[in-house]
Amino acid sequence: MLDIEMIETLDCFIPQAMLTTFCDTVERSAGEPNFGLILAPNMSLSDYGLWGEYVLAADTLRAAIDRAVSSLGCHCSGDRMSLSIDGGVGRLSYFSAARGLPGYTHLASGTAISMLSLFRSFLSPGWQPQMVELDIPRPHSSTPFDDTFSCPLAFDAASVSILFAAELLARPAPRRSRARLITLEDVARGRFAPADLDNFLNVVVAHIWAQVLAGAVSLESTAQALDMSVRSVQRELNREGVDFRALTNAIRIQRAKELLEGTRASITDISTALGYSAPANFARTFRKATEVAPQEFRRLAWSSAEPKHRRGL
């Protein structure tokens, strides 16, 4: 039931009912009731495409959890997450819409391990929680689960939950090699807004977006990607009442707004990411398009944001 070409991308959508059916079929065919536990150690939020990258790019563990909770709809439909703190103990809970379906036991184990990978990205690879709760019936033998999780376990819970010391929420992200700038808008574009490839203008816009995200835009590159001459691309755009430079500038400004509002990247880093030769050139272009300087736009955007949203930047 899985389209091989579709699942070659990390950001494709696979219905949960299909995934649970797949796991249940493998379990029955292989006679392996612990199929999910075999896979679980290989599960990581870093393999969850743009959404996982967005979550893990946060500045602190708390900010990463806030991102995960608030943007879960960009990763899957019907599920929800929550964070609660009681007496110095934090509880990160995952409520799955697939709970109760045949094969869900395997998904629950993978979900718990993926949640643990979020914590371990900010703490250490060997970090263990105070407890893991699983929303599946207690198995006849819990030994395979004990061997996989190596921490206190509870079954028949209301959700898949990780219990941990709340003080860990302030832990900053470890020093990493410079990562690309990513915003929630990137996740939404990848998940919800594919371009209509039957429309020439949308195809050109999609190519420009790809080049802006890569840091360099040229009409020549777009023409080559479309297997057209530069003159033909210009002629077709003229028929649409637009020109390539105007499209590029508009998309760059939109991307600049996303980065100013959704990241803490410096103006210099944003300027470089957008392909400007100098921050002053970027600031001048941005002010001309928006009538405010980049720093002022960010200040206004952040001052109007909810405190919780700001923590997730």
Side-chain angles (χ1 to χ4, degrees):
M1 291 164 35
L2 296 176
D3 186 322
I4 297 300
E5 292 185 0
M6 179 185 74
I7 63 175
E8 284 181 344
T9 170
L10 286 174
D11 295 297
C12 71
F13 177 75
I14 301 175
Q16 293 195 69
M18 182 183 294
L19 194 55
T20 54
T21 300
F22 172 78
C23 291
D24 184 57
T25 302
V26 172
E27 175 190 341
R28 295 175 181 275
S29 299
E32 178 51 76
N34 295 317
F35 169 63
L37 292 177
I38 295 173
L39 294 183
N42 300 301
M43 300 292 289
S44 173
L45 206 65
S46 62
D47 295 325
Y48 278 37
L50 280 172
W51 181 74
E53 188 176 352
Y54 168 70
V55 171
L56 295 177
D59 291 335
T60 65
L61 175 59
R62 175 60 182 265
I65 290 176
D66 282 345
R67 284 187 173 196
V69 170
S70 63
S71 66
L72 185 60
C74 293
H75 170 61
C76 62
S77 303
D79 295 0
R80 62 185 178 88
M81 295 178 70
S82 68
L83 173 67
S84 61
I85 300 173
D86 184 14
V89 176
R91 178 192 295 268
L92 179 61
S93 299
Y94 194 105
F95 302 85
S96 176
R99 183 183 180 186
L101 293 176
Y104 174 70
T105 297
H106 306 296
L107 263 67
S109 300
T111 297
I113 291 293
S114 296
M115 293 167 69
L116 287 174
S117 75
L118 168 57
F119 286 88
R120 290 166 178 164
S121 294
F122 287 81
L123 303 173
S124 70
W127 176 82
Q128 292 291 0
Q130 295 180 4
M131 178 174 287
V132 169
E133 296 180 345
L134 298 174
D135 57 350
I136 57 176
R138 175 174 289 277
H140 294 300
S141 173
S142 63
T143 300
F145 288 86
D146 295 331
D147 292 343
T148 298
F149 289 96
S150 300
C151 69
L153 289 172
F155 297 92
D156 296 300
S159 64
V160 175
S161 298
I162 308 297
L163 278 64
F164 60 97
E167 62 186 19
L168 296 176
L169 289 170
R171 189 68 60 89
R175 291 187 177 181
R176 310 182 180 104
S177 57
R178 182 180 295 274
R180 67 171 174 150
L181 300 177
I182 184 168
T183 67
L184 183 57
E185 288 80 5
D186 292 323
V187 182
R189 271 191 294 270
R191 174 69 174 84
F192 297 117
D196 178 3
L197 299 183
D198 293 328
N199 181 289
F200 177 78
L201 180 58
N202 283 346
V203 172
V204 173
V205 168
H207 277 288
I208 294 175
W209 263 110
Q211 293 180 77
V212 166
L213 295 176
V217 185
S218 73
L219 176 56
E220 291 73 17
S221 295
T222 300
Q224 184 178 16
L226 298 176
D227 195 22
M228 298 172 65
S229 69
V230 168
R231 184 166 297 181
S232 294
V233 173
Q234 291 174 318
R235 183 167 55 249
E236 291 297 323
L237 288 176
N238 287 338
R239 289 176 181 172
E240 298 282 351
V242 296
D243 65 80
F244 187 83
R245 178 175 293 182
L247 280 177
T248 300
N249 287 340
I251 291 172
R252 272 193 172 129
I253 293 301
Q254 177 59 36
R255 180 59 174 167
K257 290 179 178 179
E258 293 174 6
L259 293 175
L260 288 167
E261 183 174 4
T263 76
R264 296 187 182 278
S266 67
I267 303 301
T268 298
D269 285 345
I270 292 176
S271 170
T272 301
L274 293 174
Y276 287 93
S277 58
N281 294 338
F282 162 61
R284 183 165 51 253
T285 302
F286 189 88
R287 181 187 288 274
K288 182 177 180 180
T290 65
E291 298 184 348
V292 295
Q295 296 91 332
E296 180 65 8
F297 177 89
R298 170 175 276 174
R299 186 188 68 79
L300 292 172
W302 285 9
S303 64
S304 62
E306 293 293 331
K308 183 175 181 179
H309 172 72
R310 290 202 300 271
R311 286 200 303 271
L313 293 173

